Amino acid sequence: MTVTVEALDELVTALRTVLADDQILTSKTDRYNRARVPAPFPVHRWSERLPDLAVLPTSTEQVAGVVRIANELRVPVVPRDGGTGLTDGAVPLRGGIVVDVKRMNQVKELDLENRTVTVGTGISMLKLNEQLAKHDLFYPDDPASYPCSLVGGRIGTSGWSLIGSRYGHSRDLVLSFDHVLPTGEVMHVGDGIGHKISKSSSGYQLKHLFMGHQGTLGIATEATLKLFPKPEAELSPFWAFDNYDDAYRCVGALARAGVATFAGAVLFDEWKVAYLRRDDEAYIPQPNDVRALVCAVMYGYEDEVRPAGKRLFRIAKDHGARYLGDEISEGDWAARHDRYATPLHGRTKAGQVVPMSWHCEDAAVNYTNLPSVSRAWHEIVADLRRRTDVFDDWGMFTYTSGSTGVDYLTEIDVGIWEQQLDDRAWEMWVKAKRDIAAVALAHNGSISACHGSCREGEVDLVPQELGRGFDVMLDLKRTLDPNNIMNPGKYLLDRAYETGPHA
Amino acid sequence: MTQLDRPPGAPDPVSVPFTPGMRDNPDELAQFGDEIARDPEVKHDPTPTEEFTEEWRNASYNCFSSGHKFCREVCPVMQVTRNESWTPTAFHANVVAMDKGELSIEEVAGDYVNCTQCGACELRCPNTLFTGDFYRFRTRTVDVVKAVRAFAVESGIHQPAWKTWNARTDDKTHEPVLGEIPIKQENVRDWSAGLDIPIGGESVLFVDCEAAYYRTSVPRAVAQILQLAGYEFGLMGEQWCCGGPAAEMGYVDQAQRFARHNLDNWRSTGTKRILVLDPHDYISFTEDYPKYFGEEFDLEVVLVVELFAELIREGRLTPSVPVERAITYHDPCRLNKRKGVWKEPREILRSIPGLDFSDVDRVTQWSYCSGGGGGLPVEKPELTAAISASRLEKAAALEVDTLVSACPWSERPLSAAGEAVDIDVVDIHELLAASLGIEVGGTTNGSANGSAR
Ligand SMILES: Cc1cc2nc3c(=O)[nH]c(=O)nc-3n(C[C@H](O)[C@H](O)[C@H](O)COP(=O)(O)OP(=O)(O)OC[C@H]3O[C@@H](n4cnc5c(N)ncnc54)[C@H](O)[C@@H]3O)c2cc1C
Ligand code: SF4
């Protein structure tokens, strides 16, 4: 609790001037359930991260009103949307107000001619696409969290889409948005001021600044998104390999082929295959000589996807691939979201099944560095495992990030037996995360390609990754948020307010 | 081979990929000492909360540890409230917090009202979908909600309207519909006036309280269709509420007492088969009663919607009077989501001439609900109304004039919402009866009970 009882009363009284009673939630369960995202955390320390209250605004004006009050009263504000972020962005570190934007989930305008849709940022991509389907359109931001993450959180994290090699990622797909600054002023962010402009050259390019800041620079309330024709055909071949090296070379060749309908390629390494093998009945039944898997995905019209598929099949074959068949390919790609979500595979080294949470460290790494980053990351996790069964190695994915295959979203999935996560285990883990981030940097990568990097551990290395750029971040933060009310404690931005070299 | 060959220089088996638990793994794997992991502490003198969370800890933890909330957008309460405290995952997280001593049953009980027990979350949950119950870790949100509600009642924490409702039900042995309608044992068969149905026998038609007292056109339609097909059946000697609603609200003792009465009554009339028209009863008889009575419950439970589809298939019923309506079908949650019954109602509808049927597939309907279940309308009628309104909005988009349901409990809130968009809500059995040329009688709004409309 950062706010005293009297101050809380004053705050609630002030909030009642902009919100109705049922939009202000103060009960313990309301607060506990907004102090939680899927990323594991020692649950014995849950109470350290509670907000003082949560609000459920329904309009930009209400959000602005709440932020203005918070700024006046110097109360922290934490934007929260789906609450599926994996770096704890939506979890309060200093109490205060959680601004939960889920009630802002309306489709405000559908422009069929310019191919845009304007939505409240509390809408999910799944629900939006249900509505767009009637017009044969779709919004192709497709993270593995597609059924649960929401547009505002995609903006807050500048997320990464599984089919981004064809359609681009959140930052490319969000054209513009209304945004409440930390002072409560409202601005429009985007190329130009016309809401639906995809490229302008006037002024500084502020869109990038206001995406991926993890709620430290304000709250996006209404967004205009770019739409595409709903793909007529989807081809997603899965191929098996008897060794990692061939699979790795195959992925690179697929990505470099320059096929226009190519939406992405994924490489599952030996650890991932060993992990999937735990539940053959639920996943791909793999013969023992399968050591690595590759999936390529194409989206488009039937008559463009089919010949393109032939080309990719040829490339795969040349690299020693064995096609796993239509049924596995289609089923597995259809399950692409749920696949991330089953926590049942936590096992001790001896094989005992225990409930474990899924943690995923992600980085952006160039193609040429993937093998050595993978080796180093697995060794970091192996070292944890040697010491305790609290950690389990669930293997790695690498996904193409762009159409040319220059760099890859690289992630290692670690099972964490959160019920056993005491302070000692947590320390071990934080150190491991720092080491994992350091490996990415040592390979000229970025600490994060999609989730952000504001959690204990990796966040320590952000100044190192950004260099002089980190000081610019501090300058911007101080200017835009003079009282440090927006999601304080994240991204080491408190340094902006310390006396010393940065003050 | 599950253990990849250890390359020269690799220090130990942990440094190469392996699949834990496989028989051919090296013994070394099981022999690493552990710095942290310990067996959970066994409490010797557990508090009621500790006893409760001991039972549910791992089940709830499995959801907590995924925490992704794939379930969220299909949850009917969430759809209208957008309040994260009332999502399936919050119901599990609260149990974890109780286990950690962070929250108490007093603090959480009220939140658990906000669930219609429709089961959509379970269908959408990867923990349920993918693994069956291989590790006995399946996420069963409906059971968790029921268990917490029961624990609340056991701890003396009541929701005001539920408490009154259950007290009155206990008093009258039936759902206490208020107003003019006499809710008494003498009136439980009023709906069947003039149909000349015997008492008891091998097959007994069980009529849920809502249909028996309020929407009497439904059991009348069912009874007359059975008679037309020459299917022999009787009514119960002394029919009490099935106990399902009490069980859902946490009043476990009452639910079991009612169940015991009904079972004894069936025994006394030599009943071997129960015909059920209400999906909620179907859940009680196929899930709750077997749990209460085990082997002792050896009766056959027949869902009449399934029976009618079969009779039509066999040519024993032939709908022939055209019904000129533009309809869509509402999949009742307890049939579609909880029991996987979705084909037969459609079969029946397709057999009725004259209907212009705009179907919505059953998977899409996972996110539809009337809001009428799980005790929600008793404690939070405004939420039920909002959920029904959202259901009718979806029907209105199909430009139909009629929404057909197969669940009497959904029909009251759906009808109310239907008025706003000018859509009639009709029961599938009634519709079938009409096409069979039956003059049904009865009421759809609890007014003049038992007689013609
Ligand atoms: C199973 C699973 C799979 C995942 N797969 C992917 C994936 O493939 N790609 C990917 O990118 N991510 C993935 N994620 C991570 C997560 O879904 C994304 O980070 C997502 O963008 C978060 O969205 P959210 O709506 O849940 O946001 P939240 O978790 O609520 O918030 C995320 C951050 O954004 C801020 N924020 C929220 N709303 C706003 C707003 N309106 N304005 C400004 N800031 C805001 C928050 O303060 C927080 O810092 C996955 C997560 C899970 C659980
Ligand atoms: S109920 Fe299932 S889908 Fe929902 S959060 Fe829990 S595990 Fe995920």
Side-chain angles (χ1 to χ4, degrees), chain A residues 314-344:
Chain A
R314 216 159 44 232
I315 294 171
K317 196 160 166 257
D318 289 346
H319 287 81
R322 198 168 70 237
Y323 181 52
L324 290 172
D326 294 348
E327 198 184 332
I328 285 173
S329 296
E330 283 161 22
D332 209 63
W333 181 244
R336 62 196 178 273
H337 307 117
D338 306 287
R339 206 178 228 311
Y340 278 82
T342 318
L344 302 173

Side-chain angles (χ1 to χ4, degrees), chain A residues 37-38 78-86 89-90 101 121 143-145 148-150 152-154 156-157 159-160 162 213-215 218-220 340-341 358 450-451 487, chain B residues 68 70:
Chain A
V37 290
V78 182
R80 180 177 180 91
D81 213 355
T84 69
L86 298 176
V101 300
T121 49
S145 53
C148 53
S149 58
L150 310 179
R154 302 298 290 154
T157 57
W160 182 92
L162 304 184
H213 57 75
Q214 300 278 352
I219 306 180
Y340 278 82
W358 167 62
C450 66
H451 301 147
N487 215 349
Chain B
H68 41 49
F70 277 28

Side-chain angles (χ1 to χ4, degrees), chain B residues 87-236:
Chain B
T87 46
T89 187
F91 297 146
H92 293 275
N94 290 343
V95 173
V96 172
M98 276 161 51
D99 189 46
K100 297 283 161 199
E102 302 282 359
L103 293 175
S104 67
I105 183 68
E106 284 85 351
E107 286 160 339
V108 306
D111 285 338
Y112 289 79
V113 170
N114 303 285
C115 172
T116 67
Q117 315 225 326
C118 71
C121 53
E122 293 190 5
L123 284 179
R124 196 59 199 81
C125 174
N127 294 355
T128 308
L129 267 185
F130 273 126
T131 50
D133 212 2
F134 192 62
Y135 301 119
R136 283 183 288 110
F137 274 1
R138 200 181 135 232
T139 294
R140 293 169 305 157
T141 308
V142 170
D143 286 351
V144 169
V145 169
K146 271 171 110 169
V148 175
R149 289 175 177 183
F151 180 45
V153 169
E154 202 180 291
S155 314
I157 300 151
H158 298 273
Q159 307 306 316
W162 282 357
K163 186 175 176 183
T164 313
W165 193 95
N166 279 287
R168 284 192 201 192
T169 312
D170 195 20
D171 186 36
K172 300 177 196 305
T173 64
H174 276 100
E175 188 224 355
V177 180
L178 304 176
E180 311 279 281
I181 308 162
I183 308 293
K184 291 202 206 89
Q185 192 51 234
E186 302 94 80
N187 302 101
V188 71
R189 290 191 292 259
D190 284 1
W191 63 267
S192 66
L195 295 181
D196 205 16
I197 309 172
I199 304 289
E202 277 210 3
S203 300
V204 149
L205 176 64
F206 189 92
V207 178
D208 66 284
C209 316
E210 176 77 357
Y213 293 106
Y214 190 88
R215 213 170 174 102
T216 52
S217 54
V218 176
R220 287 185 69 85
V222 169
Q224 292 175 85
I225 297 170
L226 288 170
Q227 288 174 331
L228 183 73
Y231 194 105
E232 260 182 51
F233 70 100
L235 298 179
M236 258 184 98

